[in-house]
Amino acid sequence: MFAYIVKRLAWMIFVIWGVMTITFFIARVIPADPIAAILGPQAPPEAIEKERARWGLDKPIYIQYIRYIAGIFRGDLGVSLRTRRPVLEDIKQFFPATIELAISALFIGVILGIGLGVISAVKSGRPIDHLSRIFAIVGLSMPAFWLGLLLLLVFYYTLNLLPGPGQLPYYLPRPPRVTGFLLIDSILAHNWTALKSYLLHLIMPAFTLGWLSTASITRITRSSMLEVMREEYIKTARMKGLRETVVIMKHAFKNALLPVITVIGIRMASLLEGAVLTETVFAWPGLGRYATHSFLSIDFNAVVGTAMLMALLYSFCNLVVDILYAYLNPRIRYV
């Protein structure tokens, strides 16, 4: 296993380098000038050329690539053309908000998805099975932005039960930044007002993403459980007189987990990369909004930096899933 992990980490470096290279060249060959876009249409040509030289965009593309690679080895992902700050600093600022939202959404998705999937499989063909399948189909079919807007309309605008977009209201000062995670920083500062407000603001965006995760996890869990429950060892366990709860949870559920773990790993990676539409609808200051603004403003360094981070997240989540495979099924061996 140790040798396998080392090999996968080596491949991870190769994958990240490939994504970075492809994104770097595609971002620079598109027919657009980010300097002209930033300075505006009224900027004189000499000012545009001066800025291009200052950012090194007047050099041949292979020179820019070599300089960027050299910067990566120094821990430098370049400076954002839009924010005028180092890309690494921008990622450190926006990524914690995405992590908090992703973990909350995944928690909702895993708890509801696995629970509904198991119940649906055990009660196959009964009304609760049909209801859970409808719930999953609606969740898979419903666009995230539409669900987010619907929740805002009902719970914020109409019923006034939950706060609106953002992490905190404008009048409430943020706690001192220590970890970057607003939940932890509020606790460290003993700012219970900010903590309560933040948790209330988190409910709707987390549920929006959580429902999407719940839908896919429910379907996979149900399908996997139904397949396992047809196996002979399940029938044998029942013939031995074991309680149905033991048969379902100890024998069936454990052996049905492998495809479920795969879906959870993929969902976690996609949530961590930044749920663009959800963060936009709820004005959530996460990586998704940062990446979107970077793409729209043709911010070369920010685009490449976020693409590298996304490649790293997907590769890492896939590695964790493979390790969990071997833990859950000792018959699996990696070479």
Side-chain angles (χ1 to χ4, degrees):
M1 177 61 73
F2 178 76
Y4 173 78
I5 294 176
V6 172
K7 183 168 66 174
R8 283 292 300 271
L9 291 175
W11 274 107
M12 189 185 301
I13 295 174
F14 178 77
V15 169
I16 296 172
W17 171 79
V19 170
M20 180 273 294
T21 300
I22 294 173
T23 308
F24 183 92
F25 283 101
I26 290 179
R28 281 163 172 76
V29 299
I30 57 176
D33 188 352
I35 300 299
I38 292 174
L39 294 181
Q42 305 299 326
E46 56 272 15
I48 295 177
E49 290 302 321
K50 183 179 179 180
E51 280 295 300
R52 285 178 57 84
R54 189 168 76 87
W55 291 96
L57 299 178
D58 59 333
K59 304 294 183 183
I61 190 169
Y62 69 91
I63 297 295
Q64 298 180 41
Y65 179 72
I66 293 174
R67 288 182 174 179
Y68 191 80
I69 292 290
I72 290 178
F73 282 107
R74 298 192 305 268
D76 180 16
L77 297 181
V79 177
S80 169
L81 297 173
R82 182 172 58 89
T83 65
R84 305 301 177 96
R85 295 183 304 183
V87 173
L88 193 57
E89 292 297 324
D90 284 343
I91 292 177
K92 289 179 180 179
Q93 176 179 347
F94 294 110
F95 196 40
T98 295
I99 293 178
E100 290 179 322
L101 177 58
I103 292 177
S104 302
L106 190 68
F107 179 79
I108 294 173
V110 169
I111 297 299
L112 291 180
I114 292 180
L116 288 176
V118 172
I119 294 173
S120 181
V122 173
K123 305 293 184 181
S124 178
R126 300 181 185 180
I128 191 171
D129 177 31
H130 299 308
L131 288 176
S132 66
R133 292 166 67 183
I134 292 174
F135 178 83
I137 292 174
V138 171
L140 289 172
S141 307
M142 187 179 301
F145 72 90
W146 188 85
L147 176 60
L149 292 174
L150 182 63
L151 292 177
L152 284 173
L153 176 63
V154 174
F155 293 100
Y156 168 59
Y157 182 77
T158 304
L159 301 178
N160 197 27
L161 294 177
L162 293 173
Q167 286 184 303
L168 290 175
Y170 68 91
Y171 57 83
L172 191 63
R174 296 177 67 92
R177 185 182 180 91
V178 179
T179 64
F181 298 95
L182 190 54
L183 176 67
I184 299 176
D185 290 346
S186 299
I187 295 175
L188 293 177
H190 301 288
N191 191 338
W192 311 121
T193 302
L195 177 63
K196 178 182 177 181
S197 178
Y198 170 70
L199 292 176
L200 290 175
H201 279 81
L202 182 63
I203 292 176
M204 284 194 289
F207 181 79
T208 300
L209 290 178
W211 192 357
L212 302 179
S213 300
T214 299
S216 56
I217 294 173
T218 298
R219 289 173 60 89
I220 294 298
T221 303
R222 179 184 183 276
S223 176
S224 183
M225 282 288 294
L226 287 175
E227 183 178 349
V228 169
M229 289 173 65
R230 299 189 188 102
E231 298 291 335
E232 293 297 327
Y233 62 85
I234 298 296
K235 298 177 182 177
T236 303
R238 285 173 172 159
M239 291 174 62
K240 288 181 177 180
L242 295 178
R243 290 182 301 170
E244 187 67 12
T245 304
V246 176
V247 174
I248 296 300
M249 300 308 299
K250 184 177 180 180
H251 296 278
F253 178 64
K254 183 177 180 180
N255 289 283
L257 265 182
L258 292 185
V260 179
I261 291 296
T262 303
V263 174
I264 292 176
I266 294 174
R267 290 301 306 172
M268 186 62 181
S270 62
L271 290 173
L272 283 176
E273 79 179 24
V276 177
L277 293 177
T278 303
E279 290 186 358
T280 301
V281 168
F282 291 98
W284 198 262
L287 190 66
R289 291 186 70 201
Y290 176 74
T292 302
H293 293 318
S294 300
F295 295 150
L296 294 177
S297 60
I298 324 173
D299 191 347
F300 291 152
N301 292 332
V303 168
V304 177
T306 53
M308 290 174 60
L309 178 61
M310 293 175 188
L312 174 63
L313 293 174
Y314 269 99
S315 300
F316 179 76
C317 288
N318 286 331
L319 176 59
V320 172
V321 167
D322 288 344
I323 295 174
L324 288 176
Y325 270 15
Y327 174 75
L328 294 172
N329 190 348
R331 293 175 297 175
I332 296 178
R333 290 291 183 268
Y334 296 117
V335 294

